[in-house]
Amino acid sequence: FPYTTLFRSNPEIQLAERQRRVRLTSVVRALSERDRRCLVLRAEGLRYRDIAATLGLSLGSVAKSLTRAIARLASADER
């Protein structure tokens, strides 16, 4: 509750959060189709093996795609 109130009443925090969303959205859009699809399916709760089966990829390819996507998001989130 206190954070929510602070967030709503503080324009600097609102701006920072808006900029963060724009940065992360931009990163997601710049991902390869494979990396983005893996990331979306993982965000929907699918396990690696289910993502692999859904996309017709090996488990290793899914792991690499997710590692790459998450690293790019983390890097953008540090800025």
Side-chain angles (χ1 to χ4, degrees), residues 1-72:
F1 174 77
Y3 177 77
T4 304
T5 303
L6 176 65
F7 177 77
R8 288 185 192 145
S9 65
N10 189 323
E12 289 84 11
I13 292 175
Q14 290 176 349
L15 176 61
E17 286 298 316
R18 197 170 319 124
Q19 290 172 334
R20 178 177 181 255
R21 280 192 306 275
V22 168
R23 264 193 329 273
L24 296 178
T25 299
S26 177
V27 169
V28 170
R29 288 183 178 154
L31 293 173
S32 70
E33 181 70 20
R34 176 189 288 186
D35 291 357
R36 187 172 42 256
R37 290 178 75 193
C38 286
L39 186 64
V40 167
L41 292 173
R42 184 67 181 132
E44 290 175 357
L46 273 71
R47 295 177 301 177
Y48 282 39
R49 89 178 96 216
D50 298 325
I51 296 169
T54 299
L55 299 179
L57 301 172
S58 70
L59 203 52
S61 292
V62 170
K64 286 179 186 175
S65 286
L66 287 171
T67 298
R68 196 169 34 243
I70 292 167
R72 289 182 180 158

